[in-house]
Coordinates of all heavy atoms in Angstrom, one line a residue:
M1 N -4.0 16.4 4.9 CA -3.4 15.2 5.3 C -3.5 14.2 4.2 O -4.5 14.0 3.5 CB -4.2 14.6 6.5 CG -3.7 13.2 6.9 SD -4.5 12.5 8.3 CE -3.7 13.3 9.6
K2 N -2.4 13.5 4.0 CA -2.2 12.5 2.9 C -2.7 11.1 3.5 O -2.5 10.8 4.6 CB -0.8 12.4 2.4 CG -0.3 13.6 1.7 CD -0.8 13.6 0.3 CE -0.2 14.7 -0.5 NZ -0.7 14.8 -1.8
S3 N -3.3 10.3 2.6 CA -3.6 9.0 2.9 C -3.2 8.1 1.8 O -3.1 8.5 0.6 CB -5.1 8.8 3.2 OG -5.8 9.1 2.1
I4 N -2.9 6.8 2.1 CA -2.6 5.8 1.1 C -3.5 4.6 1.3 O -3.7 4.1 2.4 CB -1.1 5.3 1.3 CG1 -0.2 6.5 1.1 CG2 -0.8 4.2 0.3 CD1 1.3 6.1 1.5
E5 N -4.2 4.3 0.2 CA -5.1 3.1 0.2 C -4.5 2.0 -0.6 O -3.9 2.1 -1.6 CB -6.4 3.5 -0.5 CG -7.4 2.4 -0.5 CD -8.8 2.8 -1.1 OE1 -9.0 4.0 -1.4 OE2 -9.6 1.9 -1.4
T6 N -4.5 0.8 0.0 CA -4.0 -0.4 -0.6 C -5.1 -1.4 -0.9 O -6.0 -1.5 -0.1 CB -2.8 -1.1 0.2 OG1 -3.4 -1.5 1.5 CG2 -1.7 -0.1 0.5
R7 N -4.9 -2.2 -1.9 CA -5.9 -3.3 -2.3 C -5.1 -4.5 -2.8 O -4.1 -4.4 -3.5 CB -6.8 -2.8 -3.4 CG -7.8 -1.7 -2.9 CD -8.7 -1.3 -4.0 NE -9.5 -0.2 -3.5 CZ -10.8 -0.1 -3.7 NH1 -11.4 -1.0 -4.3 NH2 -11.4 1.0 -3.2
Y8 N -5.7 -5.6 -2.5 CA -5.2 -6.9 -3.0 C -5.8 -7.2 -4.4 O -7.0 -7.0 -4.6 CB -5.5 -8.0 -2.1 CG -5.2 -9.4 -2.6 CD1 -3.9 -9.9 -2.6 CD2 -6.2 -10.2 -3.1 CE1 -3.7 -11.2 -3.1 CE2 -6.0 -11.5 -3.6 CZ -4.7 -11.9 -3.6 OH -4.4 -13.2 -4.1
H9 N -5.0 -7.6 -5.3 CA -5.5 -8.0 -6.7 C -5.0 -9.5 -6.9 O -3.8 -9.8 -6.9 CB -4.8 -7.1 -7.8 CG -5.1 -5.7 -7.6 ND1 -6.3 -5.1 -8.0 CD2 -4.4 -4.7 -6.9 CE1 -6.3 -3.8 -7.7 NE2 -5.2 -3.6 -7.0
G10 N -6.0 -10.4 -7.0 CA -5.7 -11.8 -7.2 C -5.0 -12.1 -8.5 O -4.9 -11.3 -9.4
P11 N -4.4 -13.3 -8.6 CA -3.7 -13.7 -9.7 C -4.6 -13.9 -10.9 O -5.8 -14.2 -10.8 CB -3.0 -15.0 -9.3 CG -3.8 -15.6 -8.2 CD -4.4 -14.4 -7.5
T12 N -4.1 -13.7 -12.1 CA -4.8 -13.9 -13.4 C -4.0 -15.0 -14.2 O -3.0 -15.5 -13.7 CB -4.9 -12.7 -14.2 OG1 -3.6 -12.2 -14.6 CG2 -5.6 -11.5 -13.4
N13 N -4.4 -15.2 -15.4 CA -3.7 -16.2 -16.2 C -2.3 -15.6 -16.6 O -1.5 -16.4 -17.0 CB -4.5 -16.5 -17.5 CG -5.7 -17.3 -17.2 OD1 -5.8 -18.0 -16.2 ND2 -6.7 -17.3 -18.1
T14 N -2.2 -14.3 -16.6 CA -0.9 -13.7 -17.1 C -0.1 -13.0 -16.0 O 1.1 -12.7 -16.2 CB -1.2 -12.7 -18.2 OG1 -2.0 -11.7 -17.7 CG2 -1.8 -13.4 -19.4
R15 N -0.7 -12.8 -14.8 CA 0.0 -12.1 -13.7 C -0.2 -12.8 -12.4 O -1.3 -13.3 -12.2 CB -0.5 -10.7 -13.6 CG -0.1 -9.8 -14.7 CD -0.5 -8.4 -14.4 NE -0.3 -7.6 -15.6 CZ -0.1 -6.3 -15.6 NH1 -0.2 -5.6 -14.4 NH2 0.1 -5.6 -16.7
G16 N 0.8 -12.7 -11.5 CA 0.7 -13.2 -10.2 C -0.1 -12.2 -9.3 O -0.5 -11.1 -9.8
A17 N -0.4 -12.6 -8.1 CA -1.1 -11.7 -7.1 C -0.3 -10.5 -6.9 O 1.0 -10.5 -6.9 CB -1.3 -12.5 -5.8
R18 N -1.0 -9.4 -6.7 CA -0.3 -8.1 -6.5 C -1.1 -7.3 -5.5 O -2.2 -7.6 -5.2 CB -0.3 -7.2 -7.8 CG 0.4 -7.9 -9.0 CD 0.1 -7.2 -10.3 NE -1.3 -7.3 -10.6 CZ -2.0 -6.4 -11.3 NH1 -1.4 -5.3 -11.7 NH2 -3.2 -6.6 -11.6
I19 N -0.4 -6.2 -5.0 CA -1.1 -5.2 -4.1 C -0.8 -3.9 -4.8 O 0.3 -3.6 -5.1 CB -0.5 -5.3 -2.7 CG1 -0.8 -6.6 -2.1 CG2 -1.1 -4.2 -1.8 CD1 -0.3 -6.8 -0.7
S20 N -1.9 -3.1 -4.8 CA -1.7 -1.7 -5.3 C -1.7 -0.7 -4.2 O -2.4 -1.0 -3.1 CB -2.8 -1.3 -6.3 OG -4.1 -1.3 -5.7
A21 N -1.0 0.4 -4.3 CA -1.0 1.4 -3.3 C -1.3 2.7 -4.1 O -0.6 3.0 -5.0 CB 0.3 1.5 -2.6
T22 N -2.3 3.5 -3.6 CA -2.7 4.7 -4.3 C -2.8 5.8 -3.2 O -3.4 5.6 -2.1 CB -4.0 4.6 -4.9 OG1 -4.0 3.4 -5.7 CG2 -4.4 5.7 -5.8
D23 N -2.2 7.0 -3.6 CA -2.4 8.1 -2.6 C -3.7 8.9 -3.1 O -4.4 8.4 -4.0 CB -1.2 9.1 -2.6 CG -1.0 9.9 -3.8 OD1 -1.7 9.7 -4.9 OD2 -0.2 10.9 -3.8
C24 N -4.0 9.9 -2.4 CA -5.3 10.7 -2.7 C -5.1 11.5 -4.0 O -6.1 12.1 -4.4 CB -5.7 11.5 -1.5 SG -4.4 12.5 -0.8
G25 N -4.0 11.5 -4.6 CA -3.8 12.1 -5.9 C -3.8 11.1 -7.0 O -4.5 10.1 -6.9
D26 N -2.9 11.2 -8.0 CA -2.9 10.3 -9.1 C -1.7 9.3 -9.0 O -1.4 8.7 -10.1 CB -2.9 11.1 -10.4 CG -4.1 11.9 -10.6 OD1 -5.2 11.5 -10.1 OD2 -4.1 12.9 -11.3
H27 N -1.1 9.1 -7.9 CA 0.1 8.3 -7.8 C -0.3 6.9 -7.4 O -1.1 6.7 -6.5 CB 1.1 8.8 -6.8 CG 1.5 10.2 -7.2 ND1 1.0 11.3 -6.5 CD2 2.4 10.7 -8.1 CE1 1.6 12.4 -7.0 NE2 2.4 12.0 -8.0
R28 N 0.2 5.9 -8.2 CA -0.2 4.5 -7.9 C 1.0 3.6 -8.3 O 1.7 3.9 -9.2 CB -1.4 4.0 -8.7 CG -1.7 2.6 -8.5 CD -3.0 2.2 -9.3 NE -4.0 2.9 -8.7 CZ -5.3 3.0 -9.2 NH1 -5.6 2.3 -10.2 NH2 -6.2 3.7 -8.6
I29 N 1.2 2.6 -7.5 CA 2.2 1.6 -7.8 C 1.6 0.2 -7.5 O 0.6 0.1 -6.8 CB 3.5 1.7 -6.9 CG1 3.2 1.5 -5.4 CG2 4.2 3.0 -7.2 CD1 4.4 1.1 -4.7
Y30 N 2.2 -0.8 -8.1 CA 1.8 -2.2 -7.9 C 3.1 -2.9 -7.4 O 4.2 -2.7 -8.0 CB 1.3 -2.9 -9.1 CG -0.1 -2.4 -9.6 CD1 -0.2 -1.3 -10.4 CD2 -1.2 -3.0 -9.2 CE1 -1.4 -0.9 -10.9 CE2 -2.5 -2.6 -9.6 CZ -2.5 -1.5 -10.4 OH -3.8 -1.0 -10.8
I31 N 2.9 -3.8 -6.4 CA 4.1 -4.7 -6.1 C 3.6 -6.1 -6.1 O 2.4 -6.4 -6.0 CB 4.6 -4.4 -4.7 CG1 3.6 -4.7 -3.6 CG2 5.1 -2.9 -4.6 CD1 4.2 -4.7 -2.2
S32 N 4.5 -7.0 -6.4 CA 4.1 -8.4 -6.4 C 3.8 -8.8 -4.9 O 4.4 -8.2 -4.0 CB 5.3 -9.3 -6.8 OG 5.6 -9.0 -8.2
Y33 N 2.8 -9.7 -4.8 CA 2.4 -10.1 -3.4 C 3.6 -10.7 -2.7 O 4.2 -11.6 -3.1 CB 1.2 -11.1 -3.5 CG 0.6 -11.3 -2.1 CD1 -0.3 -10.5 -1.6 CD2 1.1 -12.4 -1.3 CE1 -0.9 -10.7 -0.4 CE2 0.5 -12.6 -0.1 CZ -0.4 -11.7 0.4 OH -1.0 -11.9 1.6
P34 N 3.9 -10.1 -1.5 CA 5.1 -10.6 -0.8 C 4.7 -11.8 0.1 O 4.2 -11.6 1.2 CB 5.5 -9.4 0.1 CG 4.2 -8.6 0.3 CD 3.4 -8.9 -1.0
Y35 N 4.8 -13.0 -0.4 CA 4.3 -14.2 0.3 C 5.1 -14.4 1.6 O 4.6 -15.2 2.4 CB 4.4 -15.4 -0.6 CG 3.4 -15.4 -1.7 CD1 3.8 -15.0 -3.0 CD2 2.1 -15.7 -1.5 CE1 2.8 -14.9 -4.0 CE2 1.2 -15.7 -2.5 CZ 1.5 -15.3 -3.8 OH 0.6 -15.3 -4.8
E36 N 6.2 -13.8 1.8 CA 7.0 -14.0 3.0 C 6.4 -13.2 4.2 O 6.7 -13.5 5.3 CB 8.5 -13.6 2.8 CG 8.7 -12.1 2.6 CD 8.5 -11.6 1.2 OE1 8.1 -12.3 0.3 OE2 8.8 -10.4 1.0
L37 N 5.4 -12.3 3.9 CA 4.7 -11.6 4.9 C 3.2 -12.0 4.9 O 2.8 -12.8 4.1 CB 4.8 -10.1 4.5 CG 6.2 -9.5 4.4 CD1 6.1 -8.0 3.9 CD2 6.9 -9.6 5.7
S38 N 2.5 -11.5 5.9 CA 1.1 -11.8 5.9 C 0.3 -10.6 6.4 O 0.8 -9.7 7.1 CB 0.8 -13.0 6.8 OG 1.2 -12.7 8.1
G39 N -1.0 -10.6 6.1 CA -1.9 -9.6 6.6 C -1.5 -8.2 6.3 O -1.2 -7.8 5.2
E40 N -1.6 -7.3 7.3 CA -1.3 -5.9 7.2 C 0.1 -5.7 6.7 O 0.3 -4.7 6.0 CB -1.6 -5.2 8.5 CG -1.4 -3.7 8.4 CD -1.7 -3.0 9.7 OE1 -2.5 -3.5 10.5 OE2 -1.1 -1.9 9.9
D41 N 1.0 -6.5 7.1 CA 2.4 -6.3 6.7 C 2.6 -6.3 5.1 O 3.4 -5.5 4.6 CB 3.3 -7.4 7.3 CG 3.5 -7.3 8.8 OD1 3.2 -6.1 9.3 OD2 3.8 -8.3 9.4
C42 N 1.8 -7.1 4.4 CA 1.9 -7.1 3.0 C 1.4 -5.7 2.4 O 2.1 -5.1 1.5 CB 1.0 -8.1 2.4 SG 1.4 -9.8 2.8
H43 N 0.4 -5.2 3.0 CA -0.2 -3.9 2.5 C 0.8 -2.8 3.0 O 0.9 -1.8 2.2 CB -1.6 -3.7 3.0 CG -2.5 -4.6 2.4 ND1 -3.3 -4.3 1.3 CD2 -2.8 -5.9 2.7 CE1 -4.0 -5.3 1.0 NE2 -3.8 -6.3 1.8
R44 N 1.3 -2.9 4.1 CA 2.3 -1.9 4.6 C 3.5 -1.8 3.7 O 4.0 -0.7 3.4 CB 2.8 -2.2 6.0 CG 3.8 -1.1 6.6 CD 4.1 -1.4 8.0 NE 2.9 -1.2 8.8 CZ 2.5 0.0 9.3 NH1 3.1 1.1 8.9 NH2 1.4 0.1 10.0
K45 N 4.0 -2.9 3.2 CA 5.1 -2.9 2.3 C 4.8 -2.1 1.0 O 5.6 -1.4 0.5 CB 5.5 -4.4 1.9 CG 6.7 -4.4 1.1 CD 7.3 -5.8 1.0 CE 8.6 -5.8 0.2 NZ 9.2 -7.1 0.2
A46 N 3.5 -2.3 0.5 CA 3.1 -1.6 -0.7 C 3.0 -0.1 -0.4 O 3.5 0.8 -1.2 CB 1.8 -2.1 -1.2
A47 N 2.5 0.3 0.7 CA 2.4 1.7 1.1 C 3.8 2.3 1.3 O 4.0 3.5 0.8 CB 1.6 1.9 2.4
E48 N 4.7 1.6 1.8 CA 6.1 2.1 2.0 C 6.8 2.2 0.7 O 7.5 3.1 0.4 CB 6.9 1.1 2.9 CG 6.5 1.2 4.4 CD 7.1 0.2 5.2 OE1 7.7 -0.8 4.7 OE2 6.9 0.3 6.5
A49 N 6.5 1.3 -0.3 CA 7.0 1.4 -1.6 C 6.5 2.7 -2.3 O 7.3 3.4 -3.0 CB 6.7 0.2 -2.5
L50 N 5.3 3.1 -2.1 CA 4.8 4.3 -2.7 C 5.4 5.5 -2.1 O 5.8 6.4 -2.7 CB 3.2 4.4 -2.5 CG 2.6 5.6 -3.1 CD1 2.8 5.7 -4.7 CD2 1.1 5.7 -2.8
C51 N 5.6 5.4 -0.7 CA 6.3 6.5 -0.1 C 7.8 6.7 -0.6 O 8.2 7.8 -0.8 CB 6.4 6.3 1.5 SG 4.8 6.5 2.3
D52 N 8.4 5.6 -0.8 CA 9.8 5.6 -1.4 C 9.8 6.3 -2.8 O 10.6 7.1 -3.1 CB 10.4 4.2 -1.5 CG 10.8 3.6 -0.2 OD1 10.9 4.4 0.8 OD2 11.0 2.4 -0.1
K53 N 8.8 5.9 -3.6 CA 8.7 6.5 -4.9 C 8.5 8.0 -4.9 O 9.0 8.8 -5.7 CB 7.5 5.8 -5.7 CG 7.3 6.4 -7.1 CD 6.1 5.8 -7.7 CE 5.8 6.5 -9.1 NZ 4.6 5.9 -9.7
L54 N 7.7 8.5 -3.9 CA 7.4 9.9 -3.8 C 8.3 10.7 -2.9 O 8.1 11.9 -2.8 CB 5.9 10.0 -3.3 CG 4.9 9.4 -4.3 CD1 3.5 9.5 -3.6 CD2 4.9 10.1 -5.6
G55 N 9.2 10.0 -2.3 CA 10.2 10.7 -1.4 C 9.6 11.1 0.0 O 10.1 12.0 0.6
W56 N 8.6 10.3 0.4 CA 8.0 10.6 1.7 C 8.6 9.7 2.8 O 9.0 8.6 2.5 CB 6.5 10.3 1.7 CG 5.7 11.2 0.7 CD1 6.1 12.3 0.1 CD2 4.4 10.9 0.3 NE1 5.1 12.8 -0.6 CE2 4.0 11.9 -0.6 CE3 3.5 9.9 0.5 CZ2 2.8 12.0 -1.2 CZ3 2.2 9.9 -0.1 CH2 1.9 11.0 -1.0
D57 N 8.6 10.1 4.0 CA 9.1 9.4 5.1 C 8.0 8.4 5.6 O 7.0 8.9 6.1 CB 9.6 10.3 6.2 CG 10.1 9.6 7.5 OD1 10.4 8.3 7.4 OD2 10.3 10.2 8.5
A58 N 8.2 7.2 5.5 CA 7.2 6.2 5.8 C 7.3 5.7 7.3 O 6.5 4.9 7.7 CB 7.3 5.0 4.9
S59 N 8.2 6.3 8.1 CA 8.4 5.8 9.5 C 7.2 6.0 10.4 O 7.1 5.4 11.4 CB 9.7 6.4 10.0 OG 9.5 7.8 10.2
S60 N 6.3 7.0 10.0 CA 5.2 7.3 10.9 C 3.9 6.8 10.4 O 2.8 7.3 10.8 CB 5.2 8.8 11.2 OG 4.9 9.5 10.0
L61 N 3.9 5.8 9.5 CA 2.6 5.3 8.9 C 1.8 4.5 10.0 O 2.4 3.7 10.7 CB 2.9 4.4 7.7 CG 3.2 5.1 6.4 CD1 3.4 4.0 5.3 CD2 2.0 6.0 6.0
I62 N 0.6 4.8 10.0 CA -0.4 4.1 10.9 C -1.4 3.5 9.9 O -1.9 4.2 9.1 CB -1.1 4.9 11.9 CG1 -0.1 5.6 12.8 CG2 -2.1 4.1 12.7 CD1 -0.7 6.7 13.7
G63 N -1.7 2.2 10.0 CA -2.7 1.6 9.1 C -3.8 0.9 9.8 O -3.8 0.6 11.0
G64 N -4.9 0.7 9.0 CA -6.0 0.0 9.5 C -6.8 -0.6 8.3 O -6.7 -0.1 7.2
G65 N -7.5 -1.7 8.6 CA -8.3 -2.4 7.6 C -9.6 -1.8 7.3 O -10.2 -1.1 8.1
T66 N -10.0 -1.9 6.0 CA -11.3 -1.6 5.5 C -11.9 -2.8 4.8 O -11.3 -3.8 4.7 CB -11.3 -0.4 4.6 OG1 -10.6 -0.8 3.3 CG2 -10.5 0.8 5.2
K67 N -13.1 -2.6 4.3 CA -13.7 -3.7 3.5 C -13.0 -4.0 2.2 O -12.9 -5.1 1.8 CB -15.2 -3.4 3.2 CG -16.1 -3.5 4.4 CD -17.5 -3.2 4.0 CE -18.4 -3.2 5.2 NZ -19.8 -3.0 4.8
A68 N -12.4 -2.9 1.7 CA -11.7 -3.1 0.4 C -10.2 -3.3 0.5 O -9.6 -3.7 -0.5 CB -11.9 -1.8 -0.4
G69 N -9.6 -3.1 1.6 CA -8.1 -3.3 1.8 C -7.7 -2.7 3.1 O -8.2 -2.9 4.1
Y70 N -6.7 -1.8 2.9 CA -6.1 -1.1 4.1 C -6.0 0.4 3.7 O -5.8 0.8 2.6 CB -4.8 -1.6 4.5 CG -4.9 -3.0 5.2 CD1 -5.0 -4.1 4.5 CD2 -4.8 -3.0 6.6 CE1 -5.1 -5.4 5.1 CE2 -4.9 -4.3 7.2 CZ -5.1 -5.4 6.5 OH -5.2 -6.6 7.1
V71 N -6.0 1.3 4.7 CA -5.7 2.7 4.6 C -4.6 3.0 5.6 O -4.6 2.6 6.7 CB -6.9 3.6 4.8 CG1 -6.6 5.0 4.8 CG2 -8.0 3.2 3.8
F72 N -3.6 3.8 5.1 CA -2.5 4.2 5.9 C -2.4 5.8 5.9 O -2.7 6.4 4.9 CB -1.2 3.7 5.4 CG -1.1 2.2 5.5 CD1 -1.6 1.4 4.4 CD2 -0.5 1.6 6.6 CE1 -1.5 0.0 4.5 CE2 -0.4 0.2 6.7 CZ -0.9 -0.6 5.7
V73 N -2.2 6.3 7.1 CA -2.0 7.8 7.2 C -0.8 8.0 8.0 O -0.2 7.1 8.6 CB -3.2 8.4 8.0 CG1 -4.5 8.3 7.1 CG2 -3.5 7.8 9.3
F74 N -0.3 9.2 8.0 CA 0.9 9.6 8.7 C 0.5 10.1 10.1 O -0.3 11.0 10.3 CB 1.7 10.7 8.0 CG 2.2 10.2 6.6 CD1 1.4 10.4 5.5 CD2 3.4 9.5 6.5 CE1 1.9 9.9 4.3 CE2 3.8 9.1 5.3 CZ 3.1 9.3 4.2
Q75 N 1.2 9.6 11.1 CA 0.9 10.0 12.5 C 1.4 11.4 12.7 O 2.6 11.7 12.3 CB 1.7 9.1 13.5 CG 1.5 9.4 14.9 CD 2.2 8.3 15.8 OE1 2.8 7.4 15.3 NE2 2.1 8.5 17.1
P76 N 0.6 12.3 13.3 CA 1.0 13.6 13.5 C 2.3 13.7 14.4 O 2.5 12.9 15.3 CB -0.1 14.3 14.2 CG -1.3 13.4 14.0 CD -0.7 12.0 13.8
K77 N 3.1 14.7 14.2 CA 4.3 14.9 15.0 C 3.9 15.5 16.3 O 3.0 16.4 16.4 CB 5.3 15.8 14.3 CG 5.9 15.1 13.1 CD 6.8 16.0 12.4 CE 7.3 15.4 11.1 NZ 8.2 16.2 10.3
G78 N 4.6 15.1 17.4 CA 4.3 15.8 18.7 C 3.8 15.0 19.7 O 3.6 14.1 20.2

């Protein structure tokens, strides 16, 4: 089963706030923090962007919060 972990990265002197999404392999992306969204929706957008990059169907993602960010998994079919 694949999982996607997302984390918030605060702004620095040279970059704005970002969210990273990483799968259980070596794939990672960063997106600019989507200020038009809030909470889990921001992290879901990053997870969906990683799915798009990898050619995965993101329609069945289920997410939940952790101390470090959020984790998303794919809902089983059936």
Side-chain angles (χ1 to χ4, degrees):
M1 174 180 278
K2 294 281 188 183
S3 64
I4 298 172
E5 183 177 348
T6 62
R7 292 180 186 228
Y8 171 79
H9 303 274
T12 66
N13 289 337
T14 58
R15 293 185 184 204
R18 301 169 294 148
I19 297 178
S20 65
T22 309
D23 74 348
C24 49
D26 293 333
H27 303 103
R28 177 177 296 174
I29 63 157
Y30 290 89
I31 64 166
S32 297
Y33 189 85
Y35 289 100
E36 69 276 10
L37 302 175
S38 64
E40 183 179 334
D41 291 336
C42 296
H43 291 264
R44 178 174 296 280
K45 185 169 184 174
E48 289 172 349
L50 181 61
C51 288
D52 288 345
K53 177 183 176 182
L54 298 175
W56 297 345
D57 179 14
S59 64
S60 65
L61 281 178
I62 301 172
T66 67
K67 289 182 181 181
Y70 286 82
V71 174
F72 294 87
V73 295
F74 296 94
Q75 181 176 359
K77 294 178 183 178

